[in-house]
């Protein structure tokens, strides 16, 4: 009987300690559950913003394509003016034999965009690479570089994507796609585990491009929070 009483007395402190531990751990577990829920909400917000940015890109691209395809206005010919000279191959100003006309550049560009919209990323990569090889000075060349980088990113080629997004930004740091180039550059760096570089790109977007579309700004801010910049 005395032995049983002794054992019960010994068990009391252990039971009390266990209850104290439970009371200490319970708030911690509750906070962890809250953090997990907040993280899920943040990930959902980032994904929603990404979809908004993609939709915005498509609208901008449609406007760019419409502007590129709009024919230039030709002034009415002067009845008394002499007829323009006919270009002869070999003379100054003549189109060299085998050169592709301007229309082919637009067709190639549209082909790449259509492939990208169909998620045929390897083919889109080939088309935009060919566009940049054949028309490096075309007015849509930097847009093509942006979409080439996008096709790289979609295939998980984050190193190549980062190089092209960075080059696209450097070539046109004030252009309409500059903020999106920085946003996707930051994402590419993050995918490569280069969080410091990602934070630099995203911070530059927020600092230098305050007039960027709100969806792009919000997506960049969400990425910075996710990366704890």
């Amino acid at each position: 009987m005395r032995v049983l009483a002794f054992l019960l007395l010994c068990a009391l402190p252990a039971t009390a300690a266990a209850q104290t531990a439970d009371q200490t751990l319970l708030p911690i577990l509750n906070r962890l559950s809250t953090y997990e829920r907040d993280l899920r909400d943040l990930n959902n917000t980032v994904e929603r913003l990404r979809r908004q940015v993609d939709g915005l890109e498509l609208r901008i691209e449609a406007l760019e394509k419409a502007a590129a395809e709009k024919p230039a206005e030709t002034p009415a010919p002067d009845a008394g003016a002499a007829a323009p000279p006919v270009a002869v191959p070999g003379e100054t100003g003549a189109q060299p034999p085998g050169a592709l006309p301007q229309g082919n550049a637009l067709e190639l560009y549209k082909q790449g965009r259509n492939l990208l919209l169909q998620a045929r990323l390897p083919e889109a990569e080939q088309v935009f690479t060919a566009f940049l090889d054949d028309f490096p000075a075309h007015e849509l060349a930097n847009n093509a570089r942006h979409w080439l980088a996008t096709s790289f990113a979609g295939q998980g080629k984050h190193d190549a994507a980062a190089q092209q997004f960075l080059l696209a930004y450097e070539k046109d740091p004030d252009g309409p796609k500059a903020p999106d180039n920085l946003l996707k550059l930051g994402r590419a760096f993050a995918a490569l585990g280069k969080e410091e570089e990602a934070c630099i790109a995203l911070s530059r977007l927020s600092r230098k491009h305050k007039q960027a579309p709100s969806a792009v700004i919000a997506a960049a801010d969400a990425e910075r929070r996710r990366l704890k910049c």
Side-chain angles (χ1 to χ4, degrees):
M1 200 62 185
R2 290 179 180 177
V3 173
L4 179 59
F6 176 75
L7 292 175
L8 289 173
L9 288 173
C10 291
L12 285 175
T15 303
Q19 292 176 346
T20 302
D22 289 343
Q23 293 173 355
T24 303
L25 287 174
L26 186 59
I28 296 175
L29 293 175
N30 288 336
R31 286 197 297 272
L32 286 175
S33 178
T34 301
Y35 292 153
E36 290 176 352
R37 185 170 60 253
D38 291 344
L39 181 59
R40 286 195 300 270
D41 292 342
L42 179 59
N43 287 335
N44 290 336
T45 299
V46 170
E47 184 59 32
R48 186 177 68 254
L49 290 171
R50 284 179 178 174
R51 289 196 297 269
Q52 291 177 1
V53 169
D54 290 341
L56 182 62
E57 283 184 355
L58 292 178
R59 291 195 294 273
I60 292 174
E61 184 61 26
L63 292 174
E64 290 172 346
K65 184 167 65 175
E69 293 176 346
K70 183 179 179 180
E73 294 184 1
T74 304
D78 186 351
V86 177
V88 178
E91 292 185 358
T92 303
Q95 182 174 320
L100 292 173
Q102 185 79 352
N104 283 24
L106 295 177
E107 288 301 318
L108 195 61
Y109 183 84
K110 288 191 292 184
Q111 180 186 0
R113 286 291 292 122
N114 289 334
L115 289 169
L116 199 60
L117 291 173
Q118 296 170 31
R120 295 163 63 180
L121 301 180
E123 295 168 83
E125 174 191 336
Q126 293 177 358
V127 170
F128 284 122
T129 299
F131 183 99
L132 291 171
D133 288 342
D134 293 342
F135 306 100
H138 193 276
E139 60 184 351
L140 291 174
N142 214 41
N143 283 12
R145 183 171 287 104
H146 171 89
W147 297 123
L148 174 62
T150 301
S151 70
F152 281 141
Q155 297 176 80
K157 300 178 180 179
H158 300 296
D159 187 59
Q163 292 179 28
Q164 292 300 322
F165 281 129
L166 178 59
L167 184 58
Y169 180 76
E170 289 176 340
K171 284 185 173 293
D172 193 7
D174 298 316
K177 287 194 180 299
D180 198 41
N181 281 326
L182 283 177
L183 172 62
K184 292 185 176 180
L185 175 61
R187 288 175 177 169
F189 276 140
L192 291 168
K194 299 180 178 181
E195 295 184 356
E196 182 178 356
E197 290 86 343
C199 288
I200 291 173
L202 296 169
S203 297
R204 183 177 183 83
L205 192 165
S206 300
R207 188 175 66 256
K208 296 289 187 181
H209 299 278
K210 298 183 183 296
Q211 303 304 317
S214 58
V216 175
I217 294 293
D221 290 343
E223 287 287 344
R224 289 174 61 198
R225 288 194 298 271
R226 186 177 69 84
L227 295 171
K228 299 179 181 179
C229 294

